[in-house]
């Protein structure tokens, strides 16, 4: 939804549109594609997306995290059931996450993680 104020366009999204943003992000749509899908001004949408505290960015990040969680959860279930390939993938992802956490702690300190 677009709201016009003082000759400038300001984007405001309904709860339903924020859920659409989550769903599109969950299937790896880029922010630019989501703006096109929602038929809104790409530059205005990207300004909201770059603001990490905006509803748009929160919905986008939530969609990606939810998707990642569901995939990882299924990977763990398969690994527990004895699927060797799933176990290897799970352990590889686990190791990469540990490395990323250590790197972030070294670079940014524990307060910024």
């Amino acid at each position: 939804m677009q709201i016009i104020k003082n000759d400038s366009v300001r984007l405001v999204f309904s709860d339903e549109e924020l859920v659409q943003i989550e769903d599109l992000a969950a299937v790896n749509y880029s922010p630019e594609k989501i703006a096109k899908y929602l038929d809104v001004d790409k530059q205005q949408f990207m300004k909201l997306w770059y603001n990490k505290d905006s509803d748009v960015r929160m919905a986008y990040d939530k969609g990606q995290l939810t998707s990642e969680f569901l995939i990882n959860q299924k990977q763990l279930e398969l690994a527990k059931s004895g699927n060797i390939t799933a176990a290897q993938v799970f352990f590889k992802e686990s190791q990469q996450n540990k490395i990323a956490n250590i790197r972030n702690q070294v670079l940014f300190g524990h307060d910024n993680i």
Side-chain angles (χ1 to χ4, degrees):
M1 170 185 288
Q2 295 182 3
I3 296 179
I4 300 176
K5 274 191 168 181
N6 301 333
D7 297 328
S8 66
V9 176
R10 181 172 163 242
L11 296 179
V12 177
F13 295 97
S14 68
D15 290 341
E16 181 180 296
E17 290 169 321
L18 291 172
V19 169
Q20 282 183 313
I21 292 169
E22 283 181 35
D23 292 343
L24 292 166
V27 293
N28 294 317
Y29 270 50
S30 68
E32 295 86 357
K33 282 186 179 181
I34 294 173
K36 189 171 192 171
Y37 180 88
L38 295 174
D39 195 27
V40 297
D41 182 76
K42 183 172 92 172
Q43 287 182 326
Q44 292 293 321
F45 186 86
M46 293 306 296
K47 283 181 185 178
L48 289 172
W49 185 81
Y50 282 119
N51 176 357
K52 292 187 182 219
D53 294 325
S54 72
D55 288 342
V56 166
R57 185 57 179 264
M58 297 278 206
Y60 187 90
D61 289 347
K62 182 179 179 187
Q64 291 213 314
L65 287 171
T66 300
S67 178
E68 183 180 345
F69 167 76
L70 293 172
I71 291 167
N72 288 337
Q73 184 180 38
K74 188 63 174 179
Q75 194 72 31
L76 177 61
E77 288 174 21
L78 291 170
K80 285 181 176 180
S81 72
N83 183 316
I84 299 301
T85 304
Q88 290 171 335
V89 170
F90 182 81
F91 288 127
K92 181 180 177 183
E93 289 290 325
S94 176
Q95 187 65 24
Q96 288 175 341
N97 284 337
K98 286 179 186 177
I99 291 167
N101 289 340
I102 291 168
R103 181 190 66 233
N104 288 338
Q105 188 172 7
V106 168
L107 293 174
F108 306 113
H110 70 280
D111 291 338
N112 295 323
I113 296 178

